[in-house]
């Protein structure tokens, strides 16, 4: 995919132009995110709906058919499945670390090798998330390692 950014002329409004062969579901979802300006995500905690900025989320984890969002101070449940979150979250910030985990790349403090060719991502609050070896090459590429 090619991205072109042009400076606008004085008086012009911001504009996004999409050139594609076919408008697929993923592209439609991205366009809708731009249109709606959806920022905060809906999570559940103690029978309440809580709105949280995606940038506050350290990682998402699927446990027993439920998906949880972990922030620095809390754990929330989300009704979305991991594959849905993977499509909705900013690709530049979030990374699929294993079948059960999506991690916020901006929250990783360090990486350490562990048994079996896997790595452990140590997050800014000390949480540890295992990065499966199937996803390791992409992680290294995304982090420029």
């Amino acid at each position: 995919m090619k991205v072109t950014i042009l400076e606008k002329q004085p008086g012009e409004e911001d504009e996004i132009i999409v050139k594609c062969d076919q408008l697929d579901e993923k592209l439609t979802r991205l366009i809708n995110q731009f249109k709606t300006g959806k920022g905060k995500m809906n999570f559940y905690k103690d029978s309440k709906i809580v709105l949280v900025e995606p940038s506050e989320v350290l990682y998402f984890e699927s446990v027993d058919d439920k998906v949880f969002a972990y922030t620095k101070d809390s754990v929330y449940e989300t009704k979305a499945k991991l594959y849905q979150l993977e499509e909705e979250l900013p690709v530049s910030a979030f990374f699929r670390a294993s079948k059960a985990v999506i991690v916020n790349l901006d929250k990783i403090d360090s990486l350490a090798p562990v048994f079996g060719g896997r790595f452990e991502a140590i997050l800014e609050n000390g949480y540890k998330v295992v990065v499966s070896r199937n996803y390791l090459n992409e992680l290294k590429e995304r982090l420029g390692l």
Side-chain angles (χ1 to χ4, degrees):
M1 178 184 341
K2 178 175 129 180
V3 176
T4 305
I5 300 173
L6 304 171
E7 286 187 36
K8 65 180 183 175
Q9 298 298 317
E12 285 184 326
E13 68 177 291
D14 293 337
E15 176 183 28
I16 296 174
I17 299 171
V18 177
K19 286 184 182 180
C20 61
D21 290 329
Q22 183 176 339
L23 193 62
D24 61 6
E25 183 182 338
K26 199 172 188 179
L27 194 53
T28 302
R29 186 177 295 111
L30 182 64
I31 292 167
N32 287 335
Q33 284 177 343
F34 274 113
K35 284 182 180 178
T36 61
K38 183 180 174 186
K40 294 188 177 185
M41 301 178 78
N42 301 328
F43 299 137
Y44 300 88
K45 183 172 183 160
D46 302 328
S47 302
K48 294 180 187 173
I49 298 173
V50 182
L51 300 175
V52 177
E53 288 287 342
S55 61
E56 293 179 30
V57 177
L58 300 170
Y59 68 101
F60 295 92
E61 182 177 33
S62 176
V63 179
D64 296 332
D65 293 327
K66 292 184 180 184
V67 177
F68 298 94
Y70 295 81
T71 64
K72 191 172 186 177
D73 302 318
S74 295
V75 178
Y76 304 100
E77 185 176 348
T78 177
K79 301 297 182 198
K81 301 292 183 197
L82 280 182
Y83 75 88
Q84 294 169 323
L85 290 169
E86 194 172 23
E87 291 174 358
E88 293 172 11
L89 293 165
V91 176
S92 59
F94 288 88
F95 167 75
R96 186 70 172 248
S98 68
K99 286 184 179 182
V101 174
I102 296 174
V103 67
N104 186 340
L105 292 172
D106 296 332
K107 304 297 182 181
I108 295 176
D109 269 349
S110 62
L111 294 169
V114 291
F115 183 74
R118 299 175 299 166
F119 267 67
E120 195 171 63
I122 295 96
L123 306 179
E124 64 185 25
N125 66 345
Y127 285 2
K128 295 178 181 179
V129 175
V130 173
V131 179
S132 144
R133 63 181 180 204
N134 294 337
Y135 298 91
L136 193 54
N137 286 338
E138 184 182 344
L139 177 63
K140 287 180 178 179
E141 183 179 310
R142 299 264 307 269
L143 293 176
L145 302 174

